Amino acid sequence: MEWTEDLAVGVARLDNQHKELFHKINHLVAAIKEARCKYIIDGTIKFLEDYATLHFAEEERCMEESGYEEYVKHKEHHASFLVALLELRKEAALPRKADSSYDLCVAANQVVVDWITAHIMQYDRRFGAFLKTARQKAC
């Protein structure tokens, strides 16, 4: 996945966090292709958990401060990602058989890519448009 400026929300801190997420996803995809995913999957899941905690809190604070009318819906979408991460964490905690790390890596990649496609490209872009239209000060 490639970050492009049309994905920018307009809040530098949030955009930089999104860029970091894209970088991590691309790192996971490369690891899958190079058959070294089993060495990074646990760290990737940990990154995603930490990322979600920090990023969602900042994004939601920004939405509240700006009076964003779709805040509740956006927050619910964040919660759906947290549920998917919990499922990945449960899978990662199970004893691994041969090739199960590969399957876990592919599942993690799919969860993240699907979520990014739906979330950043739809939800976050709408929030960015709101900030621009409402001429809200960046959070």
PDB file of all heavy atoms in Angstrom, residues 20-21 23-32 36-52 81 85 88-89 92 96 104-109 112:
ATOM      1  N   GLU A  20       3.056   6.012   9.240  1.00  0.00           N
ATOM      2  CA  GLU A  20       3.765   4.971   9.992  1.00  0.00           C
ATOM      3  C   GLU A  20       3.039   3.631   9.870  1.00  0.00           C
ATOM      4  O   GLU A  20       3.665   2.579   9.713  1.00  0.00           O
ATOM      5  CB  GLU A  20       3.880   5.368  11.463  1.00  0.00           C
ATOM      6  CG  GLU A  20       4.623   4.363  12.309  1.00  0.00           C
ATOM      7  CD  GLU A  20       4.676   4.758  13.779  1.00  0.00           C
ATOM      8  OE1 GLU A  20       4.012   5.728  14.198  1.00  0.00           O
ATOM      9  OE2 GLU A  20       5.378   4.056  14.519  1.00  0.00           O
ATOM     10  N   LEU A  21       1.716   3.661   9.901  1.00  0.00           N
ATOM     11  CA  LEU A  21       0.928   2.444   9.740  1.00  0.00           C
ATOM     12  C   LEU A  21       1.143   1.845   8.352  1.00  0.00           C
ATOM     13  O   LEU A  21       1.333   0.637   8.213  1.00  0.00           O
ATOM     14  CB  LEU A  21      -0.556   2.733   9.980  1.00  0.00           C
ATOM     15  CG  LEU A  21      -1.508   1.551   9.827  1.00  0.00           C
ATOM     16  CD1 LEU A  21      -1.154   0.424  10.804  1.00  0.00           C
ATOM     17  CD2 LEU A  21      -2.942   2.005  10.036  1.00  0.00           C
ATOM     18  N   HIS A  23       3.759   2.166   6.508  1.00  0.00           N
ATOM     19  CA  HIS A  23       5.116   1.615   6.504  1.00  0.00           C
ATOM     20  C   HIS A  23       5.138   0.229   7.154  1.00  0.00           C
ATOM     21  O   HIS A  23       5.751  -0.705   6.637  1.00  0.00           O
ATOM     22  CB  HIS A  23       6.067   2.572   7.234  1.00  0.00           C
ATOM     23  CG  HIS A  23       7.429   2.027   7.410  1.00  0.00           C
ATOM     24  ND1 HIS A  23       8.333   1.933   6.373  1.00  0.00           N
ATOM     25  CD2 HIS A  23       8.047   1.511   8.502  1.00  0.00           C
ATOM     26  CE1 HIS A  23       9.460   1.377   6.826  1.00  0.00           C
ATOM     27  NE2 HIS A  23       9.302   1.120   8.112  1.00  0.00           N
ATOM     28  N   LYS A  24       4.455   0.092   8.268  1.00  0.00           N
ATOM     29  CA  LYS A  24       4.429  -1.187   8.990  1.00  0.00           C
ATOM     30  C   LYS A  24       3.721  -2.261   8.175  1.00  0.00           C
ATOM     31  O   LYS A  24       4.152  -3.414   8.143  1.00  0.00           O
ATOM     32  CB  LYS A  24       3.745  -0.988  10.345  1.00  0.00           C
ATOM     33  CG  LYS A  24       4.018  -2.093  11.307  1.00  0.00           C
ATOM     34  CD  LYS A  24       5.488  -2.180  11.627  1.00  0.00           C
ATOM     35  CE  LYS A  24       5.732  -2.717  12.999  1.00  0.00           C
ATOM     36  NZ  LYS A  24       7.132  -2.784  13.351  1.00  0.00           N
ATOM     37  N   ILE A  25       2.651  -1.887   7.499  1.00  0.00           N
ATOM     38  CA  ILE A  25       1.935  -2.849   6.658  1.00  0.00           C
ATOM     39  C   ILE A  25       2.827  -3.314   5.521  1.00  0.00           C
ATOM     40  O   ILE A  25       2.888  -4.505   5.205  1.00  0.00           O
ATOM     41  CB  ILE A  25       0.637  -2.227   6.100  1.00  0.00           C
ATOM     42  CG1 ILE A  25      -0.353  -2.014   7.229  1.00  0.00           C
ATOM     43  CG2 ILE A  25       0.026  -3.103   5.014  1.00  0.00           C
ATOM     44  CD1 ILE A  25      -1.481  -1.107   6.850  1.00  0.00           C
ATOM     45  N   ASN A  26       3.513  -2.381   4.903  1.00  0.00           N
ATOM     46  CA  ASN A  26       4.412  -2.747   3.807  1.00  0.00           C
ATOM     47  C   ASN A  26       5.543  -3.645   4.291  1.00  0.00           C
ATOM     48  O   ASN A  26       5.978  -4.547   3.576  1.00  0.00           O
ATOM     49  CB  ASN A  26       4.937  -1.495   3.116  1.00  0.00           C
ATOM     50  CG  ASN A  26       3.854  -0.793   2.325  1.00  0.00           C
ATOM     51  OD1 ASN A  26       2.899  -1.417   1.858  1.00  0.00           O
ATOM     52  ND2 ASN A  26       3.965   0.513   2.187  1.00  0.00           N
ATOM     53  N   HIS A  27       5.992  -3.418   5.512  1.00  0.00           N
ATOM     54  CA  HIS A  27       7.013  -4.272   6.119  1.00  0.00           C
ATOM     55  C   HIS A  27       6.464  -5.691   6.315  1.00  0.00           C
ATOM     56  O   HIS A  27       7.151  -6.681   6.055  1.00  0.00           O
ATOM     57  CB  HIS A  27       7.452  -3.657   7.454  1.00  0.00           C
ATOM     58  CG  HIS A  27       8.544  -4.380   8.143  1.00  0.00           C
ATOM     59  ND1 HIS A  27       9.820  -4.486   7.632  1.00  0.00           N
ATOM     60  CD2 HIS A  27       8.555  -5.059   9.317  1.00  0.00           C
ATOM     61  CE1 HIS A  27      10.567  -5.195   8.468  1.00  0.00           C
ATOM     62  NE2 HIS A  27       9.809  -5.556   9.493  1.00  0.00           N
ATOM     63  N   LEU A  28       5.223  -5.794   6.745  1.00  0.00           N
ATOM     64  CA  LEU A  28       4.580  -7.097   6.918  1.00  0.00           C
ATOM     65  C   LEU A  28       4.420  -7.803   5.580  1.00  0.00           C
ATOM     66  O   LEU A  28       4.708  -8.991   5.465  1.00  0.00           O
ATOM     67  CB  LEU A  28       3.214  -6.930   7.603  1.00  0.00           C
ATOM     68  CG  LEU A  28       2.390  -8.208   7.793  1.00  0.00           C
ATOM     69  CD1 LEU A  28       3.110  -9.209   8.693  1.00  0.00           C
ATOM     70  CD2 LEU A  28       1.014  -7.868   8.373  1.00  0.00           C
ATOM     71  N   VAL A  29       3.987  -7.085   4.562  1.00  0.00           N
ATOM     72  CA  VAL A  29       3.821  -7.678   3.232  1.00  0.00           C
ATOM     73  C   VAL A  29       5.162  -8.198   2.713  1.00  0.00           C
ATOM     74  O   VAL A  29       5.245  -9.317   2.188  1.00  0.00           O
ATOM     75  CB  VAL A  29       3.209  -6.659   2.243  1.00  0.00           C
ATOM     76  CG1 VAL A  29       3.269  -7.165   0.807  1.00  0.00           C
ATOM     77  CG2 VAL A  29       1.776  -6.347   2.636  1.00  0.00           C
ATOM     78  N   ALA A  30       6.217  -7.423   2.886  1.00  0.00           N
ATOM     79  CA  ALA A  30       7.549  -7.862   2.453  1.00  0.00           C
ATOM     80  C   ALA A  30       7.981  -9.113   3.212  1.00  0.00           C
ATOM     81  O   ALA A  30       8.541 -10.044   2.623  1.00  0.00           O
ATOM     82  CB  ALA A  30       8.567  -6.736   2.659  1.00  0.00           C
ATOM     83  N   ALA A  31       7.690  -9.148   4.507  1.00  0.00           N
ATOM     84  CA  ALA A  31       8.056 -10.320   5.317  1.00  0.00           C
ATOM     85  C   ALA A  31       7.298 -11.557   4.862  1.00  0.00           C
ATOM     86  O   ALA A  31       7.855 -12.659   4.848  1.00  0.00           O
ATOM     87  CB  ALA A  31       7.788 -10.042   6.793  1.00  0.00           C
ATOM     88  N   ILE A  32       6.035 -11.389   4.480  1.00  0.00           N
ATOM     89  CA  ILE A  32       5.257 -12.523   3.966  1.00  0.00           C
ATOM     90  C   ILE A  32       5.895 -13.039   2.684  1.00  0.00           C
ATOM     91  O   ILE A  32       6.125 -14.237   2.511  1.00  0.00           O
ATOM     92  CB  ILE A  32       3.786 -12.131   3.737  1.00  0.00           C
ATOM     93  CG1 ILE A  32       3.093 -11.874   5.075  1.00  0.00           C
ATOM     94  CG2 ILE A  32       3.043 -13.206   2.947  1.00  0.00           C
ATOM     95  CD1 ILE A  32       1.718 -11.234   4.955  1.00  0.00           C
ATOM     96  N   ARG A  36       9.657 -14.657   6.007  1.00  0.00           N
ATOM     97  CA  ARG A  36      10.240 -14.360   7.317  1.00  0.00           C
ATOM     98  C   ARG A  36       9.215 -13.756   8.268  1.00  0.00           C
ATOM     99  O   ARG A  36       9.546 -13.209   9.306  1.00  0.00           O
ATOM    100  CB  ARG A  36      11.459 -13.456   7.191  1.00  0.00           C
ATOM    101  CG  ARG A  36      11.222 -12.141   6.541  1.00  0.00           C
ATOM    102  CD  ARG A  36      12.495 -11.289   6.423  1.00  0.00           C
ATOM    103  NE  ARG A  36      12.202 -10.089   5.683  1.00  0.00           N
ATOM    104  CZ  ARG A  36      11.625  -9.003   6.204  1.00  0.00           C
ATOM    105  NH1 ARG A  36      11.308  -8.971   7.473  1.00  0.00           N
ATOM    106  NH2 ARG A  36      11.370  -7.953   5.459  1.00  0.00           N
ATOM    107  N   CYS A  37       7.965 -13.915   7.915  1.00  0.00           N
ATOM    108  CA  CYS A  37       6.884 -13.315   8.694  1.00  0.00           C
ATOM    109  C   CYS A  37       6.812 -13.865  10.112  1.00  0.00           C
ATOM    110  O   CYS A  37       6.503 -13.137  11.048  1.00  0.00           O
ATOM    111  CB  CYS A  37       5.555 -13.519   7.974  1.00  0.00           C
ATOM    112  SG  CYS A  37       4.192 -12.738   8.821  1.00  0.00           S
ATOM    113  N   LYS A  38       7.116 -15.149  10.270  1.00  0.00           N
ATOM    114  CA  LYS A  38       7.000 -15.742  11.606  1.00  0.00           C
ATOM    115  C   LYS A  38       7.898 -15.043  12.623  1.00  0.00           C
ATOM    116  O   LYS A  38       7.649 -15.113  13.816  1.00  0.00           O
ATOM    117  CB  LYS A  38       7.308 -17.232  11.562  1.00  0.00           C
ATOM    118  CG  LYS A  38       8.723 -17.586  11.185  1.00  0.00           C
ATOM    119  CD  LYS A  38       8.897 -19.087  11.109  1.00  0.00           C
ATOM    120  CE  LYS A  38      10.271 -19.460  10.616  1.00  0.00           C
ATOM    121  NZ  LYS A  38      10.408 -20.894  10.451  1.00  0.00           N
ATOM    122  N   TYR A  39       8.910 -14.329  12.119  1.00  0.00           N
ATOM    123  CA  TYR A  39       9.824 -13.642  13.028  1.00  0.00           C
ATOM    124  C   TYR A  39       9.322 -12.264  13.442  1.00  0.00           C
ATOM    125  O   TYR A  39       9.814 -11.691  14.410  1.00  0.00           O
ATOM    126  CB  TYR A  39      11.206 -13.497  12.382  1.00  0.00           C
ATOM    127  CG  TYR A  39      11.792 -14.825  11.963  1.00  0.00           C
ATOM    128  CD1 TYR A  39      11.924 -15.143  10.621  1.00  0.00           C
ATOM    129  CD2 TYR A  39      12.174 -15.768  12.911  1.00  0.00           C
ATOM    130  CE1 TYR A  39      12.445 -16.373  10.229  1.00  0.00           C
ATOM    131  CE2 TYR A  39      12.680 -17.004  12.534  1.00  0.00           C
ATOM    132  CZ  TYR A  39      12.822 -17.293  11.192  1.00  0.00           C
ATOM    133  OH  TYR A  39      13.323 -18.505  10.805  1.00  0.00           O
ATOM    134  N   ILE A  40       8.360 -11.722  12.708  1.00  0.00           N
ATOM    135  CA  ILE A  40       7.913 -10.357  13.010  1.00  0.00           C
ATOM    136  C   ILE A  40       6.442 -10.255  13.389  1.00  0.00           C
ATOM    137  O   ILE A  40       6.000  -9.197  13.817  1.00  0.00           O
ATOM    138  CB  ILE A  40       8.200  -9.402  11.831  1.00  0.00           C
ATOM    139  CG1 ILE A  40       7.314  -9.733  10.628  1.00  0.00           C
ATOM    140  CG2 ILE A  40       9.666  -9.382  11.463  1.00  0.00           C
ATOM    141  CD1 ILE A  40       7.156  -8.580   9.675  1.00  0.00           C
ATOM    142  N   ILE A  41       5.679 -11.329  13.244  1.00  0.00           N
ATOM    143  CA  ILE A  41       4.232 -11.216  13.430  1.00  0.00           C
ATOM    144  C   ILE A  41       3.845 -10.779  14.843  1.00  0.00           C
ATOM    145  O   ILE A  41       2.965  -9.935  15.019  1.00  0.00           O
ATOM    146  CB  ILE A  41       3.482 -12.511  13.016  1.00  0.00           C
ATOM    147  CG1 ILE A  41       1.953 -12.279  13.051  1.00  0.00           C
ATOM    148  CG2 ILE A  41       3.879 -13.686  13.872  1.00  0.00           C
ATOM    149  CD1 ILE A  41       1.449 -11.185  12.145  1.00  0.00           C
ATOM    150  N   ASP A  42       4.496 -11.320  15.860  1.00  0.00           N
ATOM    151  CA  ASP A  42       4.148 -10.930  17.227  1.00  0.00           C
ATOM    152  C   ASP A  42       4.421  -9.442  17.459  1.00  0.00           C
ATOM    153  O   ASP A  42       3.613  -8.737  18.056  1.00  0.00           O
ATOM    154  CB  ASP A  42       4.889 -11.793  18.248  1.00  0.00           C
ATOM    155  CG  ASP A  42       4.411 -13.233  18.214  1.00  0.00           C
ATOM    156  OD1 ASP A  42       3.188 -13.456  18.180  1.00  0.00           O
ATOM    157  OD2 ASP A  42       5.261 -14.144  18.201  1.00  0.00           O
ATOM    158  N   GLY A  43       5.559  -8.965  16.952  1.00  0.00           N
ATOM    159  CA  GLY A  43       5.889  -7.549  17.057  1.00  0.00           C
ATOM    160  C   GLY A  43       4.926  -6.674  16.269  1.00  0.00           C
ATOM    161  O   GLY A  43       4.594  -5.564  16.691  1.00  0.00           O
ATOM    162  N   THR A  44       4.478  -7.179  15.138  1.00  0.00           N
ATOM    163  CA  THR A  44       3.521  -6.429  14.318  1.00  0.00           C
ATOM    164  C   THR A  44       2.188  -6.296  15.032  1.00  0.00           C
ATOM    165  O   THR A  44       1.593  -5.212  15.063  1.00  0.00           O
ATOM    166  CB  THR A  44       3.339  -7.109  12.946  1.00  0.00           C
ATOM    167  OG1 THR A  44       4.601  -7.149  12.266  1.00  0.00           O
ATOM    168  CG2 THR A  44       2.328  -6.361  12.092  1.00  0.00           C
ATOM    169  N   ILE A  45       1.729  -7.376  15.625  1.00  0.00           N
ATOM    170  CA  ILE A  45       0.462  -7.309  16.368  1.00  0.00           C
ATOM    171  C   ILE A  45       0.593  -6.352  17.548  1.00  0.00           C
ATOM    172  O   ILE A  45      -0.300  -5.547  17.811  1.00  0.00           O
ATOM    173  CB  ILE A  45       0.000  -8.712  16.800  1.00  0.00           C
ATOM    174  CG1 ILE A  45      -0.395  -9.536  15.562  1.00  0.00           C
ATOM    175  CG2 ILE A  45      -1.169  -8.623  17.785  1.00  0.00           C
ATOM    176  CD1 ILE A  45      -0.680 -10.996  15.847  1.00  0.00           C
ATOM    177  N   LYS A  46       1.705  -6.403  18.241  1.00  0.00           N
ATOM    178  CA  LYS A  46       1.950  -5.483  19.360  1.00  0.00           C
ATOM    179  C   LYS A  46       1.953  -4.036  18.865  1.00  0.00           C
ATOM    180  O   LYS A  46       1.346  -3.151  19.486  1.00  0.00           O
ATOM    181  CB  LYS A  46       3.280  -5.835  20.044  1.00  0.00           C
ATOM    182  CG  LYS A  46       3.710  -4.859  21.117  1.00  0.00           C
ATOM    183  CD  LYS A  46       2.884  -5.002  22.367  1.00  0.00           C
ATOM    184  CE  LYS A  46       3.489  -4.175  23.489  1.00  0.00           C
ATOM    185  NZ  LYS A  46       2.573  -3.210  24.038  1.00  0.00           N
ATOM    186  N   PHE A  47       2.630  -3.780  17.739  1.00  0.00           N
ATOM    187  CA  PHE A  47       2.625  -2.442  17.157  1.00  0.00           C
ATOM    188  C   PHE A  47       1.197  -1.984  16.872  1.00  0.00           C
ATOM    189  O   PHE A  47       0.824  -0.856  17.170  1.00  0.00           O
ATOM    190  CB  PHE A  47       3.445  -2.399  15.860  1.00  0.00           C
ATOM    191  CG  PHE A  47       3.175  -1.163  15.045  1.00  0.00           C
ATOM    192  CD1 PHE A  47       3.806   0.027  15.342  1.00  0.00           C
ATOM    193  CD2 PHE A  47       2.252  -1.193  13.999  1.00  0.00           C
ATOM    194  CE1 PHE A  47       3.527   1.177  14.609  1.00  0.00           C
ATOM    195  CE2 PHE A  47       1.971  -0.056  13.267  1.00  0.00           C
ATOM    196  CZ  PHE A  47       2.614   1.133  13.563  1.00  0.00           C
ATOM    197  N   LEU A  48       0.400  -2.867  16.264  1.00  0.00           N
ATOM    198  CA  LEU A  48      -0.976  -2.509  15.914  1.00  0.00           C
ATOM    199  C   LEU A  48      -1.805  -2.172  17.156  1.00  0.00           C
ATOM    200  O   LEU A  48      -2.593  -1.230  17.145  1.00  0.00           O
ATOM    201  CB  LEU A  48      -1.631  -3.638  15.120  1.00  0.00           C
ATOM    202  CG  LEU A  48      -1.088  -3.854  13.714  1.00  0.00           C
ATOM    203  CD1 LEU A  48      -1.651  -5.142  13.121  1.00  0.00           C
ATOM    204  CD2 LEU A  48      -1.379  -2.662  12.818  1.00  0.00           C
ATOM    205  N   GLU A  49      -1.606  -2.928  18.220  1.00  0.00           N
ATOM    206  CA  GLU A  49      -2.323  -2.650  19.469  1.00  0.00           C
ATOM    207  C   GLU A  49      -1.904  -1.288  20.041  1.00  0.00           C
ATOM    208  O   GLU A  49      -2.753  -0.484  20.432  1.00  0.00           O
ATOM    209  CB  GLU A  49      -2.069  -3.755  20.484  1.00  0.00           C
ATOM    210  CG  GLU A  49      -2.707  -5.066  20.104  1.00  0.00           C
ATOM    211  CD  GLU A  49      -2.272  -6.232  20.980  1.00  0.00           C
ATOM    212  OE1 GLU A  49      -1.152  -6.196  21.547  1.00  0.00           O
ATOM    213  OE2 GLU A  49      -3.058  -7.178  21.088  1.00  0.00           O
ATOM    214  N   ASP A  50      -0.600  -1.052  20.082  1.00  0.00           N
ATOM    215  CA  ASP A  50      -0.095   0.222  20.595  1.00  0.00           C
ATOM    216  C   ASP A  50      -0.549   1.381  19.707  1.00  0.00           C
ATOM    217  O   ASP A  50      -0.950   2.436  20.203  1.00  0.00           O
ATOM    218  CB  ASP A  50       1.433   0.209  20.690  1.00  0.00           C
ATOM    219  CG  ASP A  50       1.953  -0.750  21.747  1.00  0.00           C
ATOM    220  OD1 ASP A  50       1.164  -1.216  22.599  1.00  0.00           O
ATOM    221  OD2 ASP A  50       3.169  -1.056  21.709  1.00  0.00           O
ATOM    222  N   TYR A  51      -0.460   1.161  18.407  1.00  0.00           N
ATOM    223  CA  TYR A  51      -0.866   2.175  17.440  1.00  0.00           C
ATOM    224  C   TYR A  51      -2.338   2.540  17.635  1.00  0.00           C
ATOM    225  O   TYR A  51      -2.694   3.717  17.701  1.00  0.00           O
ATOM    226  CB  TYR A  51      -0.646   1.664  16.011  1.00  0.00           C
ATOM    227  CG  TYR A  51      -1.208   2.574  14.948  1.00  0.00           C
ATOM    228  CD1 TYR A  51      -0.437   3.607  14.420  1.00  0.00           C
ATOM    229  CD2 TYR A  51      -2.511   2.421  14.484  1.00  0.00           C
ATOM    230  CE1 TYR A  51      -0.960   4.455  13.453  1.00  0.00           C
ATOM    231  CE2 TYR A  51      -3.037   3.267  13.528  1.00  0.00           C
ATOM    232  CZ  TYR A  51      -2.260   4.280  13.012  1.00  0.00           C
ATOM    233  OH  TYR A  51      -2.781   5.118  12.068  1.00  0.00           O
ATOM    234  N   ALA A  52      -3.178   1.527  17.717  1.00  0.00           N
ATOM    235  CA  ALA A  52      -4.616   1.766  17.854  1.00  0.00           C
ATOM    236  C   ALA A  52      -4.911   2.542  19.133  1.00  0.00           C
ATOM    237  O   ALA A  52      -5.707   3.488  19.120  1.00  0.00           O
ATOM    238  CB  ALA A  52      -5.388   0.444  17.826  1.00  0.00           C
ATOM    239  N   PHE A  81     -12.232  -2.322  14.736  1.00  0.00           N
ATOM    240  CA  PHE A  81     -10.842  -2.703  14.502  1.00  0.00           C
ATOM    241  C   PHE A  81     -10.231  -3.310  15.762  1.00  0.00           C
ATOM    242  O   PHE A  81      -9.488  -4.297  15.689  1.00  0.00           O
ATOM    243  CB  PHE A  81     -10.022  -1.494  14.052  1.00  0.00           C
ATOM    244  CG  PHE A  81      -8.595  -1.821  13.714  1.00  0.00           C
ATOM    245  CD1 PHE A  81      -8.288  -2.575  12.592  1.00  0.00           C
ATOM    246  CD2 PHE A  81      -7.552  -1.373  14.500  1.00  0.00           C
ATOM    247  CE1 PHE A  81      -6.969  -2.877  12.270  1.00  0.00           C
ATOM    248  CE2 PHE A  81      -6.240  -1.660  14.196  1.00  0.00           C
ATOM    249  CZ  PHE A  81      -5.938  -2.420  13.071  1.00  0.00           C
ATOM    250  N   LEU A  85      -8.421  -6.891  16.167  1.00  0.00           N
ATOM    251  CA  LEU A  85      -7.091  -7.046  16.769  1.00  0.00           C
ATOM    252  C   LEU A  85      -7.115  -8.051  17.917  1.00  0.00           C
ATOM    253  O   LEU A  85      -6.168  -8.835  18.076  1.00  0.00           O
ATOM    254  CB  LEU A  85      -6.578  -5.709  17.291  1.00  0.00           C
ATOM    255  CG  LEU A  85      -5.876  -4.804  16.313  1.00  0.00           C
ATOM    256  CD1 LEU A  85      -5.419  -3.530  17.018  1.00  0.00           C
ATOM    257  CD2 LEU A  85      -4.709  -5.484  15.648  1.00  0.00           C
ATOM    258  N   LEU A  88      -6.959 -11.429  16.451  1.00  0.00           N
ATOM    259  CA  LEU A  88      -5.589 -11.730  16.010  1.00  0.00           C
ATOM    260  C   LEU A  88      -4.704 -12.087  17.199  1.00  0.00           C
ATOM    261  O   LEU A  88      -3.904 -13.018  17.131  1.00  0.00           O
ATOM    262  CB  LEU A  88      -4.984 -10.542  15.257  1.00  0.00           C
ATOM    263  CG  LEU A  88      -5.434 -10.335  13.835  1.00  0.00           C
ATOM    264  CD1 LEU A  88      -4.847  -9.041  13.277  1.00  0.00           C
ATOM    265  CD2 LEU A  88      -5.038 -11.515  12.949  1.00  0.00           C
ATOM    266  N   ARG A  89      -4.845 -11.335  18.290  1.00  0.00           N
ATOM    267  CA  ARG A  89      -4.052 -11.608  19.494  1.00  0.00           C
ATOM    268  C   ARG A  89      -4.363 -13.004  20.031  1.00  0.00           C
ATOM    269  O   ARG A  89      -3.462 -13.737  20.427  1.00  0.00           O
ATOM    270  CB  ARG A  89      -4.350 -10.536  20.554  1.00  0.00           C
ATOM    271  CG  ARG A  89      -3.758 -10.786  21.920  1.00  0.00           C
ATOM    272  CD  ARG A  89      -2.277 -10.996  21.984  1.00  0.00           C
ATOM    273  NE  ARG A  89      -1.527  -9.825  21.605  1.00  0.00           N
ATOM    274  CZ  ARG A  89      -0.279  -9.874  21.165  1.00  0.00           C
ATOM    275  NH1 ARG A  89       0.351 -11.023  21.065  1.00  0.00           N
ATOM    276  NH2 ARG A  89       0.354  -8.789  20.823  1.00  0.00           N
ATOM    277  N   ALA A  92      -2.702 -15.508  17.804  1.00  0.00           N
ATOM    278  CA  ALA A  92      -1.250 -15.478  18.010  1.00  0.00           C
ATOM    279  C   ALA A  92      -0.859 -16.179  19.306  1.00  0.00           C
ATOM    280  O   ALA A  92       0.260 -16.705  19.421  1.00  0.00           O
ATOM    281  CB  ALA A  92      -0.752 -14.035  18.029  1.00  0.00           C
ATOM    282  N   ARG A  96       1.585 -22.732  17.851  1.00  0.00           N
ATOM    283  CA  ARG A  96       1.687 -22.657  16.390  1.00  0.00           C
ATOM    284  C   ARG A  96       2.224 -23.944  15.799  1.00  0.00           C
ATOM    285  O   ARG A  96       3.226 -24.483  16.246  1.00  0.00           O
ATOM    286  CB  ARG A  96       2.573 -21.487  15.986  1.00  0.00           C
ATOM    287  CG  ARG A  96       1.956 -20.178  16.420  1.00  0.00           C
ATOM    288  CD  ARG A  96       2.686 -18.991  15.893  1.00  0.00           C
ATOM    289  NE  ARG A  96       2.183 -17.797  16.572  1.00  0.00           N
ATOM    290  CZ  ARG A  96       2.848 -16.682  16.683  1.00  0.00           C
ATOM    291  NH1 ARG A  96       4.039 -16.558  16.158  1.00  0.00           N
ATOM    292  NH2 ARG A  96       2.320 -15.664  17.313  1.00  0.00           N
ATOM    293  N   LEU A 104      -1.279 -16.713  10.017  1.00  0.00           N
ATOM    294  CA  LEU A 104      -1.532 -15.605  10.931  1.00  0.00           C
ATOM    295  C   LEU A 104      -1.089 -14.283  10.302  1.00  0.00           C
ATOM    296  O   LEU A 104      -1.783 -13.271  10.407  1.00  0.00           O
ATOM    297  CB  LEU A 104      -0.816 -15.843  12.261  1.00  0.00           C
ATOM    298  CG  LEU A 104      -0.999 -14.802  13.347  1.00  0.00           C
ATOM    299  CD1 LEU A 104      -2.467 -14.629  13.725  1.00  0.00           C
ATOM    300  CD2 LEU A 104      -0.180 -15.188  14.576  1.00  0.00           C
ATOM    301  N   CYS A 105       0.054 -14.295   9.630  1.00  0.00           N
ATOM    302  CA  CYS A 105       0.558 -13.094   8.962  1.00  0.00           C
ATOM    303  C   CYS A 105      -0.392 -12.638   7.867  1.00  0.00           C
ATOM    304  O   CYS A 105      -0.694 -11.445   7.745  1.00  0.00           O
ATOM    305  CB  CYS A 105       1.933 -13.349   8.352  1.00  0.00           C
ATOM    306  SG  CYS A 105       3.229 -13.565   9.571  1.00  0.00           S
ATOM    307  N   VAL A 106      -0.863 -13.576   7.087  1.00  0.00           N
ATOM    308  CA  VAL A 106      -1.798 -13.238   6.010  1.00  0.00           C
ATOM    309  C   VAL A 106      -3.099 -12.695   6.596  1.00  0.00           C
ATOM    310  O   VAL A 106      -3.652 -11.704   6.110  1.00  0.00           O
ATOM    311  CB  VAL A 106      -2.046 -14.457   5.095  1.00  0.00           C
ATOM    312  CG1 VAL A 106      -3.174 -14.192   4.119  1.00  0.00           C
ATOM    313  CG2 VAL A 106      -0.759 -14.821   4.354  1.00  0.00           C
ATOM    314  N   ALA A 107      -3.579 -13.320   7.655  1.00  0.00           N
ATOM    315  CA  ALA A 107      -4.805 -12.843   8.308  1.00  0.00           C
ATOM    316  C   ALA A 107      -4.610 -11.435   8.864  1.00  0.00           C
ATOM    317  O   ALA A 107      -5.479 -10.568   8.705  1.00  0.00           O
ATOM    318  CB  ALA A 107      -5.223 -13.801   9.425  1.00  0.00           C
ATOM    319  N   ALA A 108      -3.474 -11.200   9.518  1.00  0.00           N
ATOM    320  CA  ALA A 108      -3.183  -9.870  10.066  1.00  0.00           C
ATOM    321  C   ALA A 108      -3.133  -8.839   8.948  1.00  0.00           C
ATOM    322  O   ALA A 108      -3.708  -7.747   9.057  1.00  0.00           O
ATOM    323  CB  ALA A 108      -1.869  -9.883  10.837  1.00  0.00           C
ATOM    324  N   ASN A 109      -2.459  -9.181   7.868  1.00  0.00           N
ATOM    325  CA  ASN A 109      -2.363  -8.269   6.738  1.00  0.00           C
ATOM    326  C   ASN A 109      -3.745  -7.957   6.174  1.00  0.00           C
ATOM    327  O   ASN A 109      -4.074  -6.802   5.899  1.00  0.00           O
ATOM    328  CB  ASN A 109      -1.459  -8.859   5.654  1.00  0.00           C
ATOM    329  CG  ASN A 109      -1.269  -7.907   4.498  1.00  0.00           C
ATOM    330  OD1 ASN A 109      -0.788  -6.795   4.677  1.00  0.00           O
ATOM    331  ND2 ASN A 109      -1.660  -8.336   3.325  1.00  0.00           N
ATOM    332  N   VAL A 112      -5.782  -5.632   8.487  1.00  0.00           N
ATOM    333  CA  VAL A 112      -5.283  -4.260   8.465  1.00  0.00           C
ATOM    334  C   VAL A 112      -5.578  -3.589   7.126  1.00  0.00           C
ATOM    335  O   VAL A 112      -6.051  -2.450   7.082  1.00  0.00           O
ATOM    336  CB  VAL A 112      -3.775  -4.217   8.790  1.00  0.00           C
ATOM    337  CG1 VAL A 112      -3.223  -2.819   8.622  1.00  0.00           C
ATOM    338  CG2 VAL A 112      -3.527  -4.722  10.201  1.00  0.00           C
TER     339      VAL A 112
END
